[in-house]
Every structure is written in C-alpha cells, then in structure tokens.
Amino acid sequence: MQEDFELKEKYIPQLSKPAYLLVSLPDAGLVGSIAGEFLINHLDLKEYGEIYSHKYLPPISHVIGGLAKSPLRLYHSNNLILLHSWVAIPANTLYPLARFIVNYAEKYGIETIISVTGVPVPNRLDLDKPTPYWITNSEDFAKELDELNLMKKFDEGYIAGPYATILIESSKKSIRNFVIVVESFLDLPDPEASAVALEIISKIIGFKVDTTSLLKEAEEIRGKIKGLMQQTKQEIPNYAGLKPFTYA
Amino acid sequence: MQEDFELKEKYIPQLSKPAYLLVSLPDAGLVGSIAGEFLINHLDLKEYGEIYSHKYLPPISHVIGGLAKSPLRLYHSNNLILLHSWVAIPANTLYPLARFIVNYAEKYGIETIISVTGVPVPNRLDLDKPTPYWITNSEDFAKELDELNLMKKFDEGYIAGPYATILIESSKKSIRNFVIVVESFLDLPDPEASAVALEIISKIIGFKVDTTSLLKEAEEIRGKIKGLMQQTKQEIPNYAGLKPFTYA
Amino acid sequence: MQEDFELKEKYIPQLSKPAYLLVSLPDAGLVGSIAGEFLINHLDLKEYGEIYSHKYLPPISHVIGGLAKSPLRLYHSNNLILLHSWVAIPANTLYPLARFIVNYAEKYGIETIISVTGVPVPNRLDLDKPTPYWITNSEDFAKELDELNLMKKFDEGYIAGPYATILIESSKKSIRNFVIVVESFLDLPDPEASAVALEIISKIIGFKVDTTSLLKEAEEIRGKIKGLMQQTKQEIPNYAGLKPFTYA
Amino acid sequence: MQEDFELKEKYIPQLSKPAYLLVSLPDAGLVGSIAGEFLINHLDLKEYGEIYSHKYLPPISHVIGGLAKSPLRLYHSNNLILLHSWVAIPANTLYPLARFIVNYAEKYGIETIISVTGVPVPNRLDLDKPTPYWITNSEDFAKELDELNLMKKFDEGYIAGPYATILIESSKKSIRNFVIVVESFLDLPDPEASAVALEIISKIIGFKVDTTSLLKEAEEIRGKIKGLMQQTKQEIPNYAGLKPFTYA
Amino acid sequence: MQEDFELKEKYIPQLSKPAYLLVSLPDAGLVGSIAGEFLINHLDLKEYGEIYSHKYLPPISHVIGGLAKSPLRLYHSNNLILLHSWVAIPANTLYPLARFIVNYAEKYGIETIISVTGVPVPNRLDLDKPTPYWITNSEDFAKELDELNLMKKFDEGYIAGPYATILIESSKKSIRNFVIVVESFLDLPDPEASAVALEIISKIIGFKVDTTSLLKEAEEIRGKIKGLMQQTKQEIPNYAGLKPFTYA
C-alpha cells in the first residue's frame, strides 16, 4: 500500500457507524469534483490527510493560502471520509489508485463507497433538471437502491474511467460501492448536475446541505474550474483505452 | 493463470460430454459478438463467471440492470461454455488472453473450442447469403470438417487477431479448435453473417435456435452495437502488427 | 543517492548557520536561471561541484573557458549553496532530481531551501514592477513569511514542474522550502522579474547585491539565454503531464 | 533457445553432407521470399517444423488447406534445410531471430547458411537480366566465391535488415554465411531476380530446377504476394533504424 | 564491458608511448568521419577489431570487398588507435558507447583521447579557412592547449552528442580528452573542415599527412558520404534531447 502511494495523515479520524467514503475525482462534467469541493466548503469537513505518488501523480502541487499541498487530499466529518482530487487522474493511475482507495476504505471500516459522475447527454441544455441514475457492484445493494427510489436504475451500457476501477476493486473486497451518475455536459463543468447528486448524498448519509448557492454561482464556478475541465477533457478519452465509447 | 487474469466464478458448471467452448470476441463485422449475444439471450445460457485483468483489460465495466460487471464474462448450458467479451480486445492482450482461454478449456475438459469471425469481402452487399469457411489447427479434425460439409475449406491466406492466437495456443495443448469464418462486412456489424455461423454451431453442438429474429432486427442490432464496432474497427489494424494485411 | 546521480565535489564547503540552499532551474521566464547566473558572477560564489546522470540528464556538456563541465553545478558562499542548471530539466527527471536535492540539503544541514520561478501573467508588459508571491511547504514558515511582508501570499492555484517536486520532497523530510514566484513572461527571459527575486533573497540571506546591471543589460541577457529559453519552453508543458494548466 | 522462440518439429531430418540452410525472409523485392516459395513447390521439400514466438512474431497464422500454421516454417530435402517466413519480420525481431537461426544451424551441423535478397537499383526496368552480387562473413569463403565466379563481389556499401543480423551472428559462431544480392525493385515483387538467385543456388547446392515458370507467371505471382509486399515495404525502413539508407 | 558491447580483436596492438585514441563518429558536417576515413586510407592504419552490439547498434553491416563487417571498427598505427564508425550513432547509445570507449582507452594505457567534430556556423560559405577550437575535460591540459596555440579556446557554449559523453566519461577516469571543433556546415559533409582538423592532429601525434587530396576530391567525397550525412542529420537533434540547441 505504501509502495505506489504515500499517505500522510495528521491524525486518524474516528467515524461513527455506518461510515461512508465519498470519492470525488474529475470526470465528465466535473460533477463529482464540484460536489466534493462544495462539501469541503459548506459541510465543515476537516482536512486531515494527503496522498503522494512519484509514480502515479503528475509533478503538481495544489496551493491554498500560500501552502503547497498534494492535489489528492482527505477530509472527514463524523461519519464520512471524502477523498478529493484537485487534478485530473492520468489513465495509467486508475487501477492502482482504485486499489489504494479500496484498501483505505477497508482499513477504516467503511461500509459504503459513494462515487459521483456525469453521463453526457446530447440534449443536456433542454433538461430542466438532469436525471440521476445508479450503478452498483452488489446485487443486494441494487435491491436497496431500487426501493430507495432516489435515482433511476442505469439499465444497460458501459462505465469507463476512475469510477469503473473502484467498482471492480471494491467488488473483490466485498465492499459495497455505488456510483451516482447524473445527466450532464461532457466538457462543460455542470454545477446543476452536482446539486442533484448532493441532494441524494445528503439523504443517504444524513446531513443537511443547501445547494441553492451552487445554482446561483454556476457561472463563477465554471470559470474557476476551467483549467481542471481542460485537463480532464484530455484525459477522458484515455480512460476507454484511447478509443471513443458510447455510454448507455 | 491467476497472475495476469483474475477469475471470479459463482460455481463450477458440470458439463456433459462432448463439451464445447465457444469464444465470441469482437472482430471483423462483429460476427462472433452478435452470435454470442444472441445465444446468451435466446439459448437460456446461465451467467456464472467474470474475468478481470488490471494488466490486459481497459478500465471499463459493462453495466446491466444497474449492476457493474467485467466486460469479459462466462456463460454455460449443459454441454457448452460461452466466453463472451463486451469490449474490443487490445492487441497486446491477444497472446496472454489466448493462453488463459486454452488453459481454462483444459481445466474444464473441453474437447473442442469454436470461434466465430468474419472475413471481409468487397462484394458483401451483393451476396444473398454469405459463405462460411472453416480453419482448424488439427489435421484429423480437418478431415471431419471436410466430411461434415457444413462449410467450405479456407484454402490459403492469413488469419490475424484474437482467433489466430487461440489457434496457436490450443494447438500446443492438443485441444482441437476451429474457426467459423463467414464472409462479412469489415466495419459494419453483420447479423446475417452471424446467423449463418449460428446455424452451423447449432448443428455441431446440437441445439435448436431460430435466427429469424436476427435478420428481422438487423438494423436495430447495428445501431445498438455501434460503439463496440467503432472500438473494434480501431483495434483490428493493430492485430496484424499495425500493418495492412489481405485475407485469403 | 549515488545511483541515479553522481556527485563530484572538489571539497566540502563549511557553511555558517543558518545555511541556505538556493535552487535555480530553468522554468517560466527563466526567472530563477537569470537570478542564479547573476549571483555566480556578482556574489563571488565559488564553484565546487558537478552533478552527473546518465539516466536523467541529456548528453550535453556546458563549456566555459574551453573546459567541458556538467550543466548541473554547485556553488557556495559562506552561508549559501547554489545549485544551478545550465540546461532545461526533462520532465521525467523532476522527481528523482528533487529527491537528490533534498537529500543533499539534509546532508549539509541546510535549514531553508529557496527556489525562484515566474508565474506568467498576460499583462506583464503593462507592469511597472512585477509582484512577487510566496509559496511554502510549512505552516510555521508561512506565518514568518506573512510577517516578513516582503512578498504577497500566493492565495490559490497550482504549481507544476521542478519547484513543485522540491516542495513535496522537502516537506517529507521536514526541511522548510519556499518558492519566490514573480509575475513574469512565459517564454521570454525576464531579468526584471529576476531582479525582484534577488532583492528579496538578499534581504533574507543577508548579502548586498546591486541589480541595476540586470536591468541595464536586459536585452543582452535575453539574447544570450535564447537557446535555454527555447529548450525550457518545450519542456514546461510536460511538467503538468503534457496538459495545459492555468496558474493562480 | 526455447525462451524467445518455440520450435515444433514433426521429426529430425537427417541431412547428407555438406549441409546447407537456406533462409528466405521478406526483404527488398521479396527476392528471397519468391525463391523460397518456388523451392517449396518445385523441389519437393518436406515441411517438418514450425517456429512460434509470443514475443517476436505478430498474432498471425498462415492458413493452407484449412489448416492454421505458424508463418515461420521449416522444410528440407536430403542436404538442405529451408527456413521460410510467410510474414514480414518486425525490426525488433531481427537480432533474436538471427541468433535463433544460427543456433539452429549449429545444432544441425550446417556448414553454410545461404540468404537471398535484392538490392534496389533505380534502372531496374532497363535491365535485361539483373546482376547478382555476393556478400559473405568469411575471408576464406570470399576467395572461394571469387573463384566460383557465379556472382560479382559486392564491393562497398551497407546491408541492413534480417540478412545483416544473420551475417553478424553466424560470424560469431564461425559458420560461413553468404548472401546472394540480386539487383531488384524495392517495393515491387521481383520474380526475375528470384530466378537469377535460384540458378546460383542450384549450382552451389547441386539440384536441378527449371525457373522458366517463374518468369512466365511473374504477373500472377506479383498479384498473389501483394499483401506481403505491402507489409515488407513498411518494415524495411525500420531495418536501418528508422532512417533512410543508401545501398552500395 | 562485454555485456552491452562485444569486442572482436584479431590481435592486441602494442603501442609506443605516448599513445593516442582518436574517435571519429558521425556528427555535424561529418568532420570527424571524413578525417577518420582519410587516415584509414592514407596513413596505412591496420584494421584489427570490430565492435558489436545487439542492444545499441542498428542491424546494419558495412560491406567492404564483399566482406560484411561491423560498422564500428578499430584501426591502429604504432602510437595511435582509431575507433571509427561507418554509421550514425543512435541517441540512446551515446552514454554506454562513451563508457565503452573510455574503458577501452584505459585498458590500452591511452594517455589522450582526441575527438573531431564541427560547430555549424551560418557564414560557413564565406570562410576562407574554417577556424578550429578546442574543448577539453582537464584544467592542466587546457593550459597545454593554450600554449600549443594550434587552435582557439572554445570560450562559452554547449557541446551535445557523442563527444560530450566521452568528455564526461573520460573525466571520471582522469583520462585527458580534447575535442577539435572546426567551424563547419551542419548537414553538408565538410572535407575542408576535416583537413583543418587533420593538420592539427598530425602536429600533435607526430605524423605526416598531405590533405590536398581531401580538398581536391571534396565534391566526390560529399557524394559518396551522402547517405551517412542523411542518417546523421536525423540523429543530431536527438543528441540534445529532441530539443533545438544553440552552440557557442
């Protein structure tokens, strides 16, 4: 575990049960990234860890308040760990990072890993409110998600990229994982889709969050996160093995 | 065997003899892919296994009914195992996958491996019914196939790609393998060619299958499988070592 | 330490405390390179070492007075070591070189590593005097820098390239490191920005330096260092993993 | 020897002395390939072996009479082994294949390795009968070839590709090797040049062969071997290290 | 030493002292190559060795009088060894070849390694006689060269490519090495520059050589060596790490 990735934790957070791990990595529409950053700022999450890797992360530091930090950081509340990346994940990093994440979840007794991403739809502009879908790696959990009725079932298709590898790796360790897939733009940051995902997460994990600011500041967010979108846009085609791929 | 590929089986199917392994991987005209998917849906095959590989498969999951699964899966009936891929096989995966497949066949006492592919012909549009050919790795089996008279002999030429490597590897283990090569389009999905292959397989293995729906729904199938065709179209030139190659 | 890089030192300099290591590698605007070369010529630094690497440095020698030397050399005064590169650093060299530098600093009891670079700003031409910012890897040192009030705090953004990896590696060894980031051109050598950095360094380390010649000879310096700028301009995009990236 | 290449022999041919190994691999004008295939068909050579390699040969099978075989095969008469390739040899395969071939020759007590290739000449079309040259790796044999007076001496120039590496490797093992280099087209199959080479080989090894059919069927041969020519044409520039090179 | 390069020597030449090693590898203007070939033909040097490498040399043989030889060969007179290459040296070969050369020099008790190359100057056509410069790796030898006054001192700049790596490696072994750098064309063979270098070498080593033929046959030499020039022209940019670089 320490070989490919190095972990630096200020302390070990004590989580109440059931404990969740939310993973927000840049992908289509930055739906997960925007949701992750919103929670960091509005849910009073505590930053407690950084993840380093010579082998799998580019030579980039994220700077905040003059302090240089790893772009891959860990935050927590009382029953939630958030693993958030401030840079796009290179394609060859996907499998080892997924393995790291799932090992980390196991170490902390996490019961459910939640991921958030977008599924690009051509008519995104015409949608009043984008529809959320779920994908999971567990048949039992699939029944629960069906009954919860917060999202539609993702019926048939493919999922490629960082969340696909986490689904695969967590399945091997029998940790349940589900992905909230919200209809979104492909290469425009999509705060509205993030807001839809955040409402679902808040109901499942049990916290209150007011996403109206997300919708109000959509334009501003798009501007601020433009560089990350550009990076991500270039990486996404690599996730499917350098080949175009159609979802759903 | 577990090193490069990881195998996850719900149970070990008990097969009556003679036992067959049918391999359906994306190749010219998706002739094998369409045939494989048709059998999954119409022959009541039971899904019992998944094949994973960090090293040799792209970071993609196939989603069905909300459940994320490996795109390389195992199905069976009472005397048949079907190994079906829902994604195109990268060129550098061909040899290790062939070795995995042949080792798997050996472990399950498979007597005959059957593969299905297309041979692109320029006048495909003018053909009433595409002609099937056989290629095998065994002189004895060649005589049987000649006598069976269900297909023409593939007289002289080359076969490149996933089915070539399975022919090579099974030959080393003295497992007989034959490829049904049906005249087809190169980069248009060709359900008619798949229907021709399915009729031959049904006679050899001994089951009944009505392929009329394949022909009726040809247009619909082509649309649904477009993404896979695009992937495969990009991978095929790599199968011959990045060089153009003429068949037959 | 000797594996990837070979060190050739004429003698071991004895430094008075507190001891500093200044690192000047080619990056945006060559702000660090010009500052480093200026100190070599005007602060009477003694050249005492060369760094070689088959694996990580290109097959280039820097020639001075007919003598071929490594392009990566070591200089010192009574409380300062300067590690200066006369060639651009290839992207795959960044992590191992950073590790080498930090190990070297540890060996010599260095308390503070100082780096100098530019942050490209579009309106550079309109600036009377470019603004300097600081980035550091230590919370305690951040407070000191805030109080010193010689530079502004780099509030939020990214730093990619050689100075990012030194920030990461020195943080692991608990050696404090700060980067002076001066507003600059991206791919025009920027002696004015170097002069701003030199004034700050002189106040921190405690030496006197008259940078007026830097400003007078700006045109001449730009011409002389053109080849290095061209090299560096081609390497910078690689620092962020071959992807464009926006600073600040 | 078994590591990189796998050898499958039906039996071990007993050769009368002196024994020859003729190597026919695709190169300029396919002069060797056409000569090799002609001997297989007209000299009643017996096929007895196949050479496989995951690492060094592309995933291609050569099919003949419905049977899939390795594209690198072994044939023999009473004093001759023919190693013939039905596919172009990738550039990175040249050295290991040469070593394999020379080890194989040593194992079978071969005294002379003969290779056949073309040297492209711009005025090929104007030549009544292309001139053959010899290149060898042995000073003693050079004298014999001079006295034989069947070919001109290749006076000064370069030879790149598969036959160069066999010259190098056989020299190390003190097995004599000569290359018949016939003036030819570069990227048009050249049966006339092959006929010239075959006449020389027949005199040296001691068999009778009527090459008139080669000349009569030149057009037909060119059509049949077009795919191989295309492959080879793409590989030849790689033989000289991706750089253009002038012969003679 | 035998790992990466294989050495084949007919005998071990006994050299009188002081002994020199002259290295002539293709570089700018082929200044060293033309000088080396001239000495082979006009100084009655004896060919006694060949250097092979699967890993570092392309699959090319140099043919002379029908005999295939390694393109990297060894010649000697009574106090001089000449290591001459008949092909361009690939960029990734530079470091290991330099190490081989320096080890070889050490084994034979060589006191001075001499290299010859060109420095491209834009006004080459206008020069009556191109100026020679020296670069060395030894401070002591620098003084001697200054006093000798046969060449100007190369004051400041860079040297990239094969001669840079020999300077670096011989410095580590404390073998003195100097490079004669003559003003030359970049990608036109430059026999006039070679003549300038030969006059200097003859004075230093102590032999007589009449270079008038070099100047008379300049046009002929340029034609003959055109292929090597083309190869070299393509390799030179790689010597500086695929980046353009300005000398002096």
Side-chain angles (χ1 to χ4, degrees):
Chain A
M1 194 163 160
Q2 257 74 339
E3 280 169 19
D4 293 336
F5 293 92
E6 288 176 63
L7 185 59
K8 191 173 137 187
E9 292 167 312
K10 286 191 211 163
Y11 57 88
I12 306 295
Q14 302 302 319
L15 304 171
S16 63
K17 299 282 170 179
Y20 296 88
L21 171 62
L22 179 63
V23 181
S24 48
L25 310 171
D27 199 356
L30 297 184
V31 182
S33 294
I34 296 169
E37 195 170 347
F38 185 85
L39 288 181
I40 292 169
N41 295 325
H42 293 77
L43 201 65
D44 195 29
L45 293 182
K46 290 200 185 75
E47 187 180 318
Y48 74 98
E50 294 177 68
I51 297 161
Y52 291 99
S53 176
H54 282 207
K55 199 169 165 189
Y56 290 117
L57 294 176
I60 296 175
S61 285
H62 181 234
V63 185
I64 185 116
L67 273 167
K69 299 180 172 188
S70 165
L72 210 57
R73 296 215 287 282
L74 292 157
Y75 305 81
H76 77 99
S77 69
N78 68 319
N79 68 339
L80 171 71
I81 287 176
L82 170 69
L83 192 156
H84 184 80
S85 174
W86 299 87
V87 292
I89 305 297
N92 72 321
T93 303
L94 297 182
Y95 268 124
L97 180 61
R99 198 154 25 181
F100 173 85
I101 289 173
V102 171
N103 282 339
Y104 193 78
E106 199 182 28
K107 202 171 86 178
Y108 279 76
I110 297 294
E111 275 140 2
T112 312
I113 299 174
I114 306 175
S115 317
V116 176
T117 190
V119 53
V121 288
N123 64 335
R124 174 65 186 85
L125 262 180
D126 311 332
L127 298 175
D128 236 25
K129 195 176 170 176
T131 305
Y133 295 88
W134 57 263
I135 296 174
T136 185
N137 62 354
S138 144
E139 286 188 43
D140 292 342
F141 199 38
K143 281 175 210 149
E144 286 186 39
L145 288 163
D146 239 353
E147 286 161 16
L148 262 178
N149 210 18
L150 292 167
M151 301 163 267
K152 286 195 183 170
K153 178 162 67 182
F154 189 96
D155 211 44
E156 189 172 352
Y158 295 92
I159 178 169
Y163 298 121
T165 53
I166 298 173
L167 279 163
I168 292 168
E169 289 304 303
S170 53
S171 160
K172 286 184 199 162
K173 295 269 184 183
S174 300
I175 293 178
R176 60 195 210 171
N177 170 216
F178 74 98
V179 190
I180 304 175
V181 185
V182 190
E183 291 177 328
S184 73
F185 297 112
L186 171 59
D187 45 25
L188 264 180
D190 198 336
E192 287 88 353
S194 303
V196 168
L198 283 167
E199 282 161 31
I200 294 165
I201 298 171
S202 71
K203 281 177 193 156
I204 288 177
I205 300 191
F207 57 75
K208 277 187 186 150
V209 68
D210 178 3
T211 59
T212 49
S213 64
L214 257 183
L215 308 176
K216 274 185 204 150
E217 297 158 23
E219 240 7 83
E220 193 185 330
I221 291 169
R222 278 201 192 94
K224 205 184 148 203
I225 216 163
K226 209 171 55 181
L228 183 60
M229 186 75 259
Q230 219 173 336
Q231 269 198 326
T232 306
K233 193 175 157 182
Q234 292 190 39
E235 208 57 67
I236 287 176
N238 300 333
Y239 291 168
L242 291 160
K243 286 171 284 298
F245 217 81
T246 48
Y247 275 84
Chain B
M1 195 164 160
Q2 257 75 338
E3 280 169 20
D4 293 337
F5 292 93
E6 288 176 63
L7 186 59
K8 189 173 139 188
E9 292 167 312
K10 285 191 212 163
Y11 57 88
I12 306 294
Q14 302 302 318
L15 304 171
S16 63
K17 300 282 170 177
Y20 296 88
L21 171 63
L22 179 63
V23 181
S24 48
L25 310 171
D27 200 355
L30 296 184
V31 183
S33 294
I34 296 168
E37 194 170 348
F38 185 85
L39 287 180
I40 291 168
N41 295 325
H42 292 78
L43 202 66
D44 195 29
L45 294 181
K46 288 198 187 77
E47 187 181 317
Y48 74 97
E50 295 177 68
I51 297 162
Y52 291 99
S53 176
H54 281 207
K55 198 169 166 189
Y56 289 117
L57 293 176
I60 296 175
S61 286
H62 181 233
V63 184
I64 185 116
L67 272 167
K69 299 181 172 188
S70 165
L72 210 58
R73 296 214 289 281
L74 292 156
Y75 306 79
H76 77 98
S77 71
N78 67 321
N79 68 339
L80 171 70
I81 287 176
L82 170 69
L83 190 156
H84 183 81
S85 174
W86 299 87
V87 291
I89 305 297
N92 72 321
T93 303
L94 297 182
Y95 268 124
L97 181 60
R99 200 157 23 183
F100 174 85
I101 289 174
V102 171
N103 282 339
Y104 192 78
E106 199 182 29
K107 201 171 88 177
Y108 280 76
I110 296 294
E111 275 140 1
T112 313
I113 299 174
I114 306 174
S115 316
V116 176
T117 190
V119 53
V121 288
N123 64 335
R124 174 64 185 87
L125 261 179
D126 311 331
L127 298 175
D128 239 25
K129 194 177 171 173
T131 305
Y133 296 88
W134 57 263
I135 295 173
T136 184
N137 63 354
S138 145
E139 286 189 42
D140 292 343
F141 199 38
K143 282 175 209 148
E144 285 186 41
L145 288 163
D146 239 353
E147 286 160 17
L148 262 177
N149 211 16
L150 292 167
M151 302 162 267
K152 286 196 183 170
K153 179 162 66 184
F154 189 96
D155 212 45
E156 189 172 352
Y158 295 92
I159 178 170
Y163 298 121
T165 53
I166 298 173
L167 279 162
I168 292 168
E169 289 305 303
S170 53
S171 160
K172 287 184 199 162
K173 295 269 185 184
S174 300
I175 294 177
R176 60 195 211 171
N177 170 216
F178 74 98
V179 190
I180 304 173
V181 184
V182 190
E183 291 178 329
S184 73
F185 298 112
L186 171 60
D187 46 24
L188 264 179
D190 197 336
E192 287 88 353
S194 303
V196 168
L198 283 167
E199 280 161 32
I200 293 165
I201 297 170
S202 71
K203 281 175 194 156
I204 287 176
I205 301 192
F207 58 74
K208 278 189 185 148
V209 68
D210 178 3
T211 59
T212 49
S213 64
L214 257 183
L215 308 177
K216 273 187 206 150
E217 297 158 22
E219 238 11 79
E220 193 186 330
I221 291 169
R222 279 202 193 95
K224 204 186 148 202
I225 216 163
K226 210 172 54 181
L228 184 59
M229 186 76 257
Q230 220 174 334
Q231 268 199 326
T232 306
K233 194 175 156 181
Q234 291 191 38
E235 208 56 67
I236 286 175
N238 300 332
Y239 290 167
L242 290 160
K243 286 172 285 298
F245 217 80
T246 49
Y247 275 84
Chain C
M1 193 164 160
Q2 257 74 337
E3 281 169 20
D4 293 337
F5 293 91
E6 288 177 63
L7 185 59
K8 191 173 138 187
E9 292 166 312
K10 287 191 211 162
Y11 57 88
I12 306 294
Q14 302 301 319
L15 304 172
S16 63
K17 299 282 170 178
Y20 297 88
L21 171 62
L22 178 63
V23 181
S24 48
L25 310 171
D27 199 356
L30 297 184
V31 182
S33 295
I34 296 169
E37 195 170 347
F38 185 85
L39 287 180
I40 292 169
N41 295 326
H42 293 77
L43 201 65
D44 196 30
L45 293 182
K46 290 199 185 77
E47 187 181 319
Y48 74 97
E50 294 177 67
I51 298 161
Y52 292 99
S53 177
H54 281 206
K55 199 169 164 188
Y56 289 118
L57 293 176
I60 295 175
S61 285
H62 181 235
V63 185
I64 185 114
L67 273 168
K69 299 180 172 187
S70 165
L72 210 56
R73 296 214 288 284
L74 291 156
Y75 305 80
H76 77 100
S77 70
N78 67 320
N79 68 339
L80 171 70
I81 286 176
L82 170 68
L83 191 156
H84 183 82
S85 174
W86 300 87
V87 292
I89 305 298
N92 73 320
T93 303
L94 297 183
Y95 268 124
L97 180 61
R99 199 156 22 184
F100 173 85
I101 289 173
V102 172
N103 283 340
Y104 192 78
E106 199 181 30
K107 202 171 86 178
Y108 280 76
I110 297 294
E111 275 140 2
T112 313
I113 300 174
I114 306 175
S115 317
V116 175
T117 190
V119 53
V121 288
N123 63 334
R124 174 66 186 86
L125 263 179
D126 310 332
L127 298 176
D128 236 26
K129 194 176 170 174
T131 305
Y133 295 88
W134 58 263
I135 297 175
T136 186
N137 63 353
S138 144
E139 285 188 42
D140 291 344
F141 200 37
K143 280 174 210 151
E144 286 186 40
L145 289 163
D146 238 354
E147 286 161 17
L148 262 177
N149 210 16
L150 292 167
M151 303 162 266
K152 287 195 182 170
K153 179 163 67 181
F154 189 96
D155 211 46
E156 189 171 353
Y158 295 92
I159 178 169
Y163 297 121
T165 54
I166 297 173
L167 280 163
I168 293 168
E169 289 305 304
S170 53
S171 159
K172 286 185 199 161
K173 295 268 183 184
S174 300
I175 293 177
R176 60 195 210 170
N177 171 214
F178 74 97
V179 190
I180 304 174
V181 185
V182 190
E183 290 178 328
S184 74
F185 297 113
L186 171 60
D187 44 25
L188 264 180
D190 198 336
E192 287 88 353
S194 303
V196 168
L198 283 167
E199 281 160 33
I200 293 165
I201 297 171
S202 72
K203 282 176 193 156
I204 288 176
I205 301 191
F207 57 74
K208 277 186 187 150
V209 68
D210 177 4
T211 59
T212 49
S213 65
L214 257 182
L215 306 177
K216 275 186 204 149
E217 297 158 23
E219 239 8 82
E220 194 184 328
I221 291 169
R222 279 203 191 93
K224 206 185 148 202
I225 216 164
K226 209 171 54 180
L228 183 59
M229 187 75 257
Q230 219 173 336
Q231 269 198 326
T232 306
K233 193 175 156 181
Q234 292 189 40
E235 207 57 67
I236 287 175
N238 301 333
Y239 291 167
L242 292 160
K243 285 171 284 300
F245 217 82
T246 49
Y247 275 82
Chain D
M1 194 163 160
Q2 257 73 338
E3 280 168 20
D4 292 336
F5 292 93
E6 288 176 64
L7 185 60
K8 190 173 140 186
E9 292 168 310
K10 286 192 210 161
Y11 57 88
I12 306 294
Q14 302 302 319
L15 303 172
S16 63
K17 298 283 169 175
Y20 296 88
L21 171 62
L22 179 63
V23 181
S24 47
L25 310 171
D27 199 357
L30 296 184
V31 183
S33 295
I34 296 168
E37 193 169 349
F38 185 85
L39 288 180
I40 292 168
N41 295 325
H42 293 79
L43 201 66
D44 196 28
L45 293 181
K46 288 198 185 78
E47 186 181 318
Y48 75 96
E50 294 177 69
I51 297 162
Y52 292 99
S53 176
H54 281 207
K55 198 168 163 187
Y56 289 118
L57 294 175
I60 295 175
S61 285
H62 180 233
V63 184
I64 185 115
L67 272 166
K69 298 181 172 186
S70 165
L72 210 57
R73 296 213 288 282
L74 292 156
Y75 306 81
H76 77 98
S77 71
N78 67 321
N79 68 339
L80 172 70
I81 287 176
L82 171 67
L83 190 156
H84 184 81
S85 173
W86 299 86
V87 291
I89 305 297
N92 72 321
T93 303
L94 297 182
Y95 268 124
L97 180 61
R99 198 156 23 181
F100 174 85
I101 288 174
V102 172
N103 283 339
Y104 192 79
E106 198 181 30
K107 202 171 87 178
Y108 279 76
I110 297 294
E111 276 140 1
T112 312
I113 299 175
I114 306 174
S115 318
V116 176
T117 190
V119 54
V121 288
N123 64 335
R124 175 65 187 88
L125 261 179
D126 310 331
L127 298 176
D128 239 24
K129 195 177 170 173
T131 306
Y133 296 88
W134 58 262
I135 296 174
T136 185
N137 62 353
S138 144
E139 285 188 42
D140 292 343
F141 199 37
K143 282 175 209 149
E144 286 186 41
L145 289 164
D146 239 353
E147 286 160 16
L148 262 178
N149 210 16
L150 292 167
M151 302 162 267
K152 287 196 183 168
K153 179 162 66 184
F154 189 96
D155 212 46
E156 188 172 352
Y158 295 92
I159 178 169
Y163 297 122
T165 53
I166 298 172
L167 280 163
I168 292 169
E169 289 304 304
S170 53
S171 160
K172 287 184 199 163
K173 295 268 184 185
S174 299
I175 293 177
R176 60 194 211 171
N177 171 216
F178 74 98
V179 190
I180 305 173
V181 185
V182 190
E183 291 178 328
S184 73
F185 298 111
L186 171 60
D187 45 24
L188 263 180
D190 197 336
E192 288 88 352
S194 303
V196 168
L198 283 168
E199 281 160 33
I200 294 165
I201 298 170
S202 71
K203 282 174 195 157
I204 288 175
I205 302 191
F207 57 75
K208 278 186 184 151
V209 68
D210 179 3
T211 59
T212 49
S213 64
L214 256 183
L215 307 175
K216 274 187 205 151
E217 297 158 23
E219 237 12 79
E220 193 184 330
I221 290 168
R222 278 203 193 92
K224 205 186 148 202
I225 216 164
K226 210 172 53 181
L228 183 59
M229 186 75 257
Q230 219 173 335
Q231 268 198 328
T232 307
K233 193 175 155 182
Q234 291 191 37
E235 208 57 66
I236 286 176
N238 299 333
Y239 290 168
L242 291 161
K243 286 171 284 298
F245 218 81
T246 50
Y247 275 84
Chain E
M1 194 163 160
Q2 257 73 339
E3 280 169 20
D4 292 336
F5 292 93
E6 289 177 62
L7 185 60
K8 191 173 138 187
E9 292 166 311
K10 287 191 210 161
Y11 58 88
I12 306 293
Q14 301 302 319
L15 303 172
S16 64
K17 300 282 169 177
Y20 297 88
L21 171 62
L22 179 62
V23 181
S24 48
L25 310 171
D27 200 356
L30 297 183
V31 182
S33 294
I34 295 168
E37 194 169 348
F38 185 85
L39 287 181
I40 292 168
N41 295 325
H42 292 78
L43 201 66
D44 196 28
L45 293 182
K46 290 199 184 78
E47 186 181 319
Y48 74 98
E50 294 177 68
I51 297 161
Y52 292 99
S53 176
H54 281 208
K55 199 169 164 188
Y56 289 117
L57 294 175
I60 295 175
S61 284
H62 181 233
V63 185
I64 185 114
L67 272 167
K69 299 181 172 186
S70 165
L72 210 56
R73 297 214 287 283
L74 292 156
Y75 305 81
H76 77 99
S77 70
N78 68 321
N79 68 339
L80 172 69
I81 287 177
L82 170 67
L83 191 156
H84 183 81
S85 174
W86 300 86
V87 292
I89 305 298
N92 72 321
T93 303
L94 297 182
Y95 268 124
L97 181 60
R99 199 156 22 183
F100 174 85
I101 289 174
V102 172
N103 283 339
Y104 192 78
E106 198 181 30
K107 203 170 86 178
Y108 279 76
I110 297 295
E111 275 140 2
T112 312
I113 299 174
I114 306 175
S115 316
V116 176
T117 190
V119 54
V121 288
N123 64 335
R124 175 66 187 87
L125 261 179
D126 311 331
L127 299 175
D128 238 25
K129 195 176 170 173
T131 305
Y133 296 87
W134 58 262
I135 296 174
T136 185
N137 62 354
S138 144
E139 286 187 42
D140 292 343
F141 200 38
K143 281 174 210 152
E144 286 186 39
L145 289 164
D146 240 353
E147 287 159 17
L148 263 177
N149 210 15
L150 292 167
M151 303 163 265
K152 286 195 183 169
K153 179 162 66 183
F154 189 96
D155 211 46
E156 188 171 354
Y158 295 93
I159 177 168
Y163 297 122
T165 54
I166 298 173
L167 279 163
I168 292 168
E169 289 305 304
S170 53
S171 160
K172 287 184 200 161
K173 295 269 184 184
S174 299
I175 293 177
R176 60 194 211 170
N177 171 214
F178 75 97
V179 190
I180 304 173
V181 185
V182 190
E183 290 178 328
S184 74
F185 297 112
L186 171 60
D187 45 25
L188 263 180
D190 197 336
E192 287 88 353
S194 303
V196 168
L198 283 167
E199 281 161 33
I200 294 165
I201 297 171
S202 71
K203 282 176 194 156
I204 287 175
I205 301 192
F207 58 74
K208 278 186 186 150
V209 69
D210 178 3
T211 59
T212 49
S213 65
L214 256 183
L215 306 176
K216 274 187 205 151
E217 297 158 23
E219 239 7 83
E220 194 184 329
I221 290 168
R222 279 203 192 91
K224 206 187 149 201
I225 216 164
K226 209 172 54 182
L228 183 60
M229 187 75 258
Q230 219 173 335
Q231 269 198 326
T232 306
K233 193 175 155 181
Q234 292 190 38
E235 208 57 66
I236 286 176
N238 300 332
Y239 291 167
L242 292 160
K243 285 170 285 297
F245 217 81
T246 49
Y247 274 84

